[in-house]
Amino acid sequence: MVLACNNISKAFGTTQILEKVSFHINDREKAAIVGINGAGKSTLLKIIIGELNADEGDVILSKGSTIGYLAQHQDLSSDNTIYDEMLTVKQDIIDLYNNMRTLEKEMKHASGESLEKMLSSYTRLTHEFELQNGYAYQSEVTGILKGLGFTEDEFDKKVDTLSGGQKTRISLGKLLLSSPDLILLDEPTNHLDLISIAWLETYLVNYKGAVVVVAHDRYFLDKVVTKVVELDNTRCQSFNGNYSDYAHKKAAQREILMKQYFNQQQEIKHQEEVIAKLRSFNREKSIRRAESREKMLNKIERLERPTDHRDMNFSIEPRVVSGNDVLNVDSLSKSYGNLNLFNDLSFEIKRGEKVAIIGNNGTGKTTILKIICQRVAADSGEIKLGSKVHMGYYDQEQQDFDLDKTLFDEIQDAYPNMNNTEVRNILAAFLFTEDDVFKRIKDLSGGERGRMSLAKLMLSEANLLILDEPTNHLDITSKEILENVINNYSGTVLYVSHDRYFINKTATRILDLTNKTLLNYIGNYDYYLEKKPDVEAAYLGEVVETGNSGASLRPGKLPFSTDTSKSSTTEMSENKLSWQQQKEEQARQRKRQNDLKKTEEEISTLEARNDEIDHLLTKEEVYTDVPKLMELNKERKEIETRLEELLHLWEELAEE
């Protein structure tokens, strides 16, 4: 075991973030920490590395172990080039190498005992150099930089001239190069393209140390991790397996807890009805029974309703149905100065398709969307929208807001038919909860404005949605909500995304922007990965032989069996058995209801006769007539005995 967290608790002011969080990480284990935004994932990482102090609990790192940490935002400042900055991690090896070279020069002029000492030192240094893989450190640096998306032409760029995302990649590269026993990564894929993410997945899977990662990239988590630590409502649970395993187990667990909650609620309601009925009999014994049941009911430990943020699901529908031909792009080209992004791109989109454009960073994916939405002019080519097409565009930089309005007012003023609950639900789906809905637009961060733009777009009733990286700044739960919305949307969607899990869940077709052209895959991301080598080989062959600028591959029919006799027979048998059981259960329930009704009627009749006897006993002509008095008292006792039996019977029938 390399790391153990025992009963970690942390609060900021009156807000409890973590409460008695406990889990452990074994040597070489790859684990994910998941939870909604604000669950305390980054806080927990900072407590582990000692950047924050826990209010309670202990963090135990195995003796002699080293730890490395990559935060979401890196403040890296250096006059070094990219390559030289990476080399700072290997300074010990470089010093060894320089000492070896110095000794080699000195040994040329040494002799006798002095030479023997130098040879001894040289042997020791050489051995140490080999142990630290010194002969391969330069190729290791180059391999990591290329894996993280840097070309050799960029190696000489100064670090201080890089963007924030590039600096984060350098920081990640330095961390990987340092090879600590435990790596903590906070959103490591945010600034990587698909190729670099795939490289990082392979690197981490084969990494000899342990890895703990916070990430919203579910496809990445599926590939890398074998344990998921969930933070939910300040508490912690651990699940073995990758993200999909966790999601399946969590859904099953949630279903069980929800059933337990509803069963308890049903039992509570039933007991309250029994208590009310017993009180209505208005007899001393029935009232005592009611009070006894009330005491038992009050001792029950009430279950809380399981929190399920997916309850915030909502749906959208276009105001108008478009024609079948939604979008036609013909011979599109675009360059910026000497940088040619793409040439002669042509594709069309039909109604109901969900099309993802993928490709490396800087290839022009977002530019295609902006040209379609007339935000950027093409160098050449034509864009045609089909009949009755109404387009909605999501751009993270969109500023179509009244900055002085609150989030709540922005939605409600735009959609006055929505009630308060509906407005709050749509905002909650995009991570604006409680008092957040009363923030003013001008006080939002860039990412928050992006989420607000997406929320408004989902309500726009457009029949063609153009989305640029719609899952950025969303947590996993909100991504799942958005996936459900898009999958149930009857309109058409064209989007750019690097979120492979999102693409896999929503895309019916993929356009891969590569080598300045588009390759067409009719399927989701898994299908794209399966067919990519074949399609690229076919495309390269066509380019060589005919100069063709595109390639397409349609999936064949899936194999199926026509022999359904056995399964049909089994199904009929099961249905017959199920039908018979249902009929028996229905008959049993009808008999119970009839017995219950008869019992209640007999109780009412006897109670009425008891009241009548009580009234008779107050009359002089009765209480002075001894034989009559004895007869009525005998009848009253018989009624009491029978009522006692009936009350027992009623309770038994009511409990079934």
PDB file of all heavy atoms in Angstrom, residues 633-650:
ATOM      1  N   ASN A 633     -75.967  -7.396  29.970  1.00  0.00           N
ATOM      2  CA  ASN A 633     -74.556  -7.471  30.390  1.00  0.00           C
ATOM      3  C   ASN A 633     -73.848  -8.659  29.751  1.00  0.00           C
ATOM      4  O   ASN A 633     -72.691  -8.581  29.351  1.00  0.00           O
ATOM      5  CB  ASN A 633     -74.457  -7.572  31.909  1.00  0.00           C
ATOM      6  CG  ASN A 633     -74.537  -6.197  32.569  1.00  0.00           C
ATOM      7  OD1 ASN A 633     -74.055  -5.217  31.997  1.00  0.00           O
ATOM      8  ND2 ASN A 633     -75.143  -6.127  33.734  1.00  0.00           N
ATOM      9  N   LYS A 634     -74.573  -9.812  29.666  1.00  0.00           N
ATOM     10  CA  LYS A 634     -74.007 -10.991  29.022  1.00  0.00           C
ATOM     11  C   LYS A 634     -73.723 -10.716  27.543  1.00  0.00           C
ATOM     12  O   LYS A 634     -72.658 -11.057  27.008  1.00  0.00           O
ATOM     13  CB  LYS A 634     -74.977 -12.160  29.168  1.00  0.00           C
ATOM     14  CG  LYS A 634     -74.465 -13.453  28.530  1.00  0.00           C
ATOM     15  CD  LYS A 634     -75.499 -14.564  28.647  1.00  0.00           C
ATOM     16  CE  LYS A 634     -74.973 -15.815  27.947  1.00  0.00           C
ATOM     17  NZ  LYS A 634     -75.989 -16.909  27.944  1.00  0.00           N
ATOM     18  N   GLU A 635     -74.698 -10.054  26.877  1.00  0.00           N
ATOM     19  CA  GLU A 635     -74.519  -9.725  25.455  1.00  0.00           C
ATOM     20  C   GLU A 635     -73.332  -8.774  25.268  1.00  0.00           C
ATOM     21  O   GLU A 635     -72.551  -8.906  24.321  1.00  0.00           O
ATOM     22  CB  GLU A 635     -75.799  -9.095  24.905  1.00  0.00           C
ATOM     23  CG  GLU A 635     -75.709  -8.823  23.403  1.00  0.00           C
ATOM     24  CD  GLU A 635     -76.954  -8.142  22.852  1.00  0.00           C
ATOM     25  OE1 GLU A 635     -77.930  -7.951  23.607  1.00  0.00           O
ATOM     26  OE2 GLU A 635     -76.910  -7.787  21.645  1.00  0.00           O
ATOM     27  N   ARG A 636     -73.214  -7.830  26.205  1.00  0.00           N
ATOM     28  CA  ARG A 636     -72.121  -6.846  26.112  1.00  0.00           C
ATOM     29  C   ARG A 636     -70.765  -7.533  26.225  1.00  0.00           C
ATOM     30  O   ARG A 636     -69.821  -7.201  25.490  1.00  0.00           O
ATOM     31  CB  ARG A 636     -72.279  -5.803  27.216  1.00  0.00           C
ATOM     32  CG  ARG A 636     -71.556  -4.489  26.965  1.00  0.00           C
ATOM     33  CD  ARG A 636     -71.916  -3.488  28.055  1.00  0.00           C
ATOM     34  NE  ARG A 636     -71.447  -2.171  27.725  1.00  0.00           N
ATOM     35  CZ  ARG A 636     -70.203  -1.748  27.865  1.00  0.00           C
ATOM     36  NH1 ARG A 636     -69.295  -2.591  28.314  1.00  0.00           N
ATOM     37  NH2 ARG A 636     -69.863  -0.523  27.538  1.00  0.00           N
ATOM     38  N   LYS A 637     -70.628  -8.488  27.140  1.00  0.00           N
ATOM     39  CA  LYS A 637     -69.363  -9.222  27.288  1.00  0.00           C
ATOM     40  C   LYS A 637     -69.039 -10.022  26.036  1.00  0.00           C
ATOM     41  O   LYS A 637     -67.887 -10.101  25.609  1.00  0.00           O
ATOM     42  CB  LYS A 637     -69.438 -10.156  28.496  1.00  0.00           C
ATOM     43  CG  LYS A 637     -69.349  -9.441  29.832  1.00  0.00           C
ATOM     44  CD  LYS A 637     -69.392 -10.430  30.982  1.00  0.00           C
ATOM     45  CE  LYS A 637     -69.287  -9.720  32.330  1.00  0.00           C
ATOM     46  NZ  LYS A 637     -69.354 -10.688  33.454  1.00  0.00           N
ATOM     47  N   GLU A 638     -70.088 -10.652  25.453  1.00  0.00           N
ATOM     48  CA  GLU A 638     -69.885 -11.408  24.215  1.00  0.00           C
ATOM     49  C   GLU A 638     -69.411 -10.491  23.081  1.00  0.00           C
ATOM     50  O   GLU A 638     -68.548 -10.863  22.281  1.00  0.00           O
ATOM     51  CB  GLU A 638     -71.187 -12.118  23.829  1.00  0.00           C
ATOM     52  CG  GLU A 638     -71.547 -13.260  24.759  1.00  0.00           C
ATOM     53  CD  GLU A 638     -72.925 -13.824  24.467  1.00  0.00           C
ATOM     54  OE1 GLU A 638     -73.666 -13.187  23.666  1.00  0.00           O
ATOM     55  OE2 GLU A 638     -73.271 -14.878  25.041  1.00  0.00           O
ATOM     56  N   ILE A 639     -70.023  -9.290  23.044  1.00  0.00           N
ATOM     57  CA  ILE A 639     -69.603  -8.308  22.026  1.00  0.00           C
ATOM     58  C   ILE A 639     -68.150  -7.902  22.239  1.00  0.00           C
ATOM     59  O   ILE A 639     -67.355  -7.807  21.294  1.00  0.00           O
ATOM     60  CB  ILE A 639     -70.542  -7.080  22.052  1.00  0.00           C
ATOM     61  CG1 ILE A 639     -71.910  -7.449  21.488  1.00  0.00           C
ATOM     62  CG2 ILE A 639     -69.935  -5.919  21.251  1.00  0.00           C
ATOM     63  CD1 ILE A 639     -72.958  -6.347  21.625  1.00  0.00           C
ATOM     64  N   GLU A 640     -67.749  -7.663  23.494  1.00  0.00           N
ATOM     65  CA  GLU A 640     -66.374  -7.267  23.808  1.00  0.00           C
ATOM     66  C   GLU A 640     -65.396  -8.360  23.370  1.00  0.00           C
ATOM     67  O   GLU A 640     -64.342  -8.080  22.797  1.00  0.00           O
ATOM     68  CB  GLU A 640     -66.225  -7.004  25.308  1.00  0.00           C
ATOM     69  CG  GLU A 640     -66.901  -5.735  25.795  1.00  0.00           C
ATOM     70  CD  GLU A 640     -66.216  -4.484  25.284  1.00  0.00           C
ATOM     71  OE1 GLU A 640     -65.036  -4.573  24.868  1.00  0.00           O
ATOM     72  OE2 GLU A 640     -66.854  -3.424  25.274  1.00  0.00           O
ATOM     73  N   THR A 641     -65.757  -9.621  23.684  1.00  0.00           N
ATOM     74  CA  THR A 641     -64.887 -10.736  23.295  1.00  0.00           C
ATOM     75  C   THR A 641     -64.762 -10.812  21.775  1.00  0.00           C
ATOM     76  O   THR A 641     -63.659 -10.992  21.230  1.00  0.00           O
ATOM     77  CB  THR A 641     -65.448 -12.061  23.838  1.00  0.00           C
ATOM     78  OG1 THR A 641     -65.542 -11.985  25.259  1.00  0.00           O
ATOM     79  CG2 THR A 641     -64.547 -13.226  23.456  1.00  0.00           C
ATOM     80  N   ARG A 642     -65.919 -10.680  21.098  1.00  0.00           N
ATOM     81  CA  ARG A 642     -65.893 -10.752  19.631  1.00  0.00           C
ATOM     82  C   ARG A 642     -65.137  -9.567  19.026  1.00  0.00           C
ATOM     83  O   ARG A 642     -64.376  -9.729  18.058  1.00  0.00           O
ATOM     84  CB  ARG A 642     -67.334 -10.787  19.104  1.00  0.00           C
ATOM     85  CG  ARG A 642     -67.440 -10.851  17.582  1.00  0.00           C
ATOM     86  CD  ARG A 642     -66.731 -12.063  17.033  1.00  0.00           C
ATOM     87  NE  ARG A 642     -66.817 -12.129  15.566  1.00  0.00           N
ATOM     88  CZ  ARG A 642     -66.002 -12.825  14.790  1.00  0.00           C
ATOM     89  NH1 ARG A 642     -65.013 -13.542  15.353  1.00  0.00           N
ATOM     90  NH2 ARG A 642     -66.152 -12.855  13.488  1.00  0.00           N
ATOM     91  N   LEU A 643     -65.313  -8.380  19.612  1.00  0.00           N
ATOM     92  CA  LEU A 643     -64.586  -7.200  19.122  1.00  0.00           C
ATOM     93  C   LEU A 643     -63.075  -7.371  19.262  1.00  0.00           C
ATOM     94  O   LEU A 643     -62.304  -6.956  18.386  1.00  0.00           O
ATOM     95  CB  LEU A 643     -65.045  -5.944  19.876  1.00  0.00           C
ATOM     96  CG  LEU A 643     -66.338  -5.287  19.383  1.00  0.00           C
ATOM     97  CD1 LEU A 643     -66.751  -4.157  20.316  1.00  0.00           C
ATOM     98  CD2 LEU A 643     -66.154  -4.753  17.956  1.00  0.00           C
ATOM     99  N   GLU A 644     -62.661  -8.008  20.365  1.00  0.00           N
ATOM    100  CA  GLU A 644     -61.227  -8.257  20.571  1.00  0.00           C
ATOM    101  C   GLU A 644     -60.690  -9.156  19.459  1.00  0.00           C
ATOM    102  O   GLU A 644     -59.610  -8.901  18.890  1.00  0.00           O
ATOM    103  CB  GLU A 644     -61.015  -8.914  21.938  1.00  0.00           C
ATOM    104  CG  GLU A 644     -59.564  -9.115  22.324  1.00  0.00           C
ATOM    105  CD  GLU A 644     -58.853  -7.827  22.669  1.00  0.00           C
ATOM    106  OE1 GLU A 644     -59.544  -6.824  22.970  1.00  0.00           O
ATOM    107  OE2 GLU A 644     -57.614  -7.807  22.611  1.00  0.00           O
ATOM    108  N   GLU A 645     -61.456 -10.205  19.136  1.00  0.00           N
ATOM    109  CA  GLU A 645     -61.058 -11.115  18.059  1.00  0.00           C
ATOM    110  C   GLU A 645     -61.016 -10.382  16.714  1.00  0.00           C
ATOM    111  O   GLU A 645     -60.088 -10.564  15.911  1.00  0.00           O
ATOM    112  CB  GLU A 645     -62.046 -12.286  17.980  1.00  0.00           C
ATOM    113  CG  GLU A 645     -62.010 -13.206  19.187  1.00  0.00           C
ATOM    114  CD  GLU A 645     -63.141 -14.226  19.148  1.00  0.00           C
ATOM    115  OE1 GLU A 645     -63.983 -14.140  18.216  1.00  0.00           O
ATOM    116  OE2 GLU A 645     -63.196 -15.095  20.048  1.00  0.00           O
ATOM    117  N   LEU A 646     -62.045  -9.563  16.462  1.00  0.00           N
ATOM    118  CA  LEU A 646     -62.129  -8.847  15.183  1.00  0.00           C
ATOM    119  C   LEU A 646     -60.999  -7.827  15.021  1.00  0.00           C
ATOM    120  O   LEU A 646     -60.465  -7.640  13.925  1.00  0.00           O
ATOM    121  CB  LEU A 646     -63.489  -8.151  15.066  1.00  0.00           C
ATOM    122  CG  LEU A 646     -64.689  -9.079  14.855  1.00  0.00           C
ATOM    123  CD1 LEU A 646     -65.992  -8.290  14.958  1.00  0.00           C
ATOM    124  CD2 LEU A 646     -64.600  -9.778  13.503  1.00  0.00           C
ATOM    125  N   LEU A 647     -60.626  -7.145  16.123  1.00  0.00           N
ATOM    126  CA  LEU A 647     -59.530  -6.172  16.052  1.00  0.00           C
ATOM    127  C   LEU A 647     -58.212  -6.861  15.716  1.00  0.00           C
ATOM    128  O   LEU A 647     -57.415  -6.346  14.926  1.00  0.00           O
ATOM    129  CB  LEU A 647     -59.413  -5.410  17.379  1.00  0.00           C
ATOM    130  CG  LEU A 647     -60.491  -4.344  17.619  1.00  0.00           C
ATOM    131  CD1 LEU A 647     -60.432  -3.817  19.046  1.00  0.00           C
ATOM    132  CD2 LEU A 647     -60.321  -3.182  16.626  1.00  0.00           C
ATOM    133  N   HIS A 648     -57.978  -8.040  16.312  1.00  0.00           N
ATOM    134  CA  HIS A 648     -56.784  -8.823  15.974  1.00  0.00           C
ATOM    135  C   HIS A 648     -56.809  -9.216  14.503  1.00  0.00           C
ATOM    136  O   HIS A 648     -55.813  -9.094  13.781  1.00  0.00           O
ATOM    137  CB  HIS A 648     -56.708 -10.087  16.846  1.00  0.00           C
ATOM    138  CG  HIS A 648     -56.044  -9.874  18.163  1.00  0.00           C
ATOM    139  ND1 HIS A 648     -54.730  -9.454  18.292  1.00  0.00           N
ATOM    140  CD2 HIS A 648     -56.522 -10.013  19.433  1.00  0.00           C
ATOM    141  CE1 HIS A 648     -54.419  -9.353  19.568  1.00  0.00           C
ATOM    142  NE2 HIS A 648     -55.496  -9.679  20.292  1.00  0.00           N
ATOM    143  N   LEU A 649     -57.983  -9.711  14.067  1.00  0.00           N
ATOM    144  CA  LEU A 649     -58.123 -10.136  12.673  1.00  0.00           C
ATOM    145  C   LEU A 649     -57.917  -8.960  11.727  1.00  0.00           C
ATOM    146  O   LEU A 649     -57.231  -9.088  10.700  1.00  0.00           O
ATOM    147  CB  LEU A 649     -59.514 -10.756  12.468  1.00  0.00           C
ATOM    148  CG  LEU A 649     -59.844 -11.206  11.035  1.00  0.00           C
ATOM    149  CD1 LEU A 649     -58.855 -12.276  10.567  1.00  0.00           C
ATOM    150  CD2 LEU A 649     -61.290 -11.732  10.954  1.00  0.00           C
ATOM    151  N   TRP A 650     -58.504  -7.805  12.074  1.00  0.00           N
ATOM    152  CA  TRP A 650     -58.364  -6.616  11.209  1.00  0.00           C
ATOM    153  C   TRP A 650     -56.894  -6.207  11.066  1.00  0.00           C
ATOM    154  O   TRP A 650     -56.434  -5.889   9.975  1.00  0.00           O
ATOM    155  CB  TRP A 650     -59.191  -5.460  11.787  1.00  0.00           C
ATOM    156  CG  TRP A 650     -59.156  -4.254  10.895  1.00  0.00           C
ATOM    157  CD1 TRP A 650     -59.983  -3.956   9.860  1.00  0.00           C
ATOM    158  CD2 TRP A 650     -58.207  -3.178  10.957  1.00  0.00           C
ATOM    159  NE1 TRP A 650     -59.627  -2.774   9.266  1.00  0.00           N
ATOM    160  CE2 TRP A 650     -58.529  -2.276   9.916  1.00  0.00           C
ATOM    161  CE3 TRP A 650     -57.132  -2.883  11.777  1.00  0.00           C
ATOM    162  CZ2 TRP A 650     -57.819  -1.104   9.688  1.00  0.00           C
ATOM    163  CZ3 TRP A 650     -56.412  -1.718  11.546  1.00  0.00           C
ATOM    164  CH2 TRP A 650     -56.749  -0.844  10.512  1.00  0.00           C
TER     165      TRP A 650
END
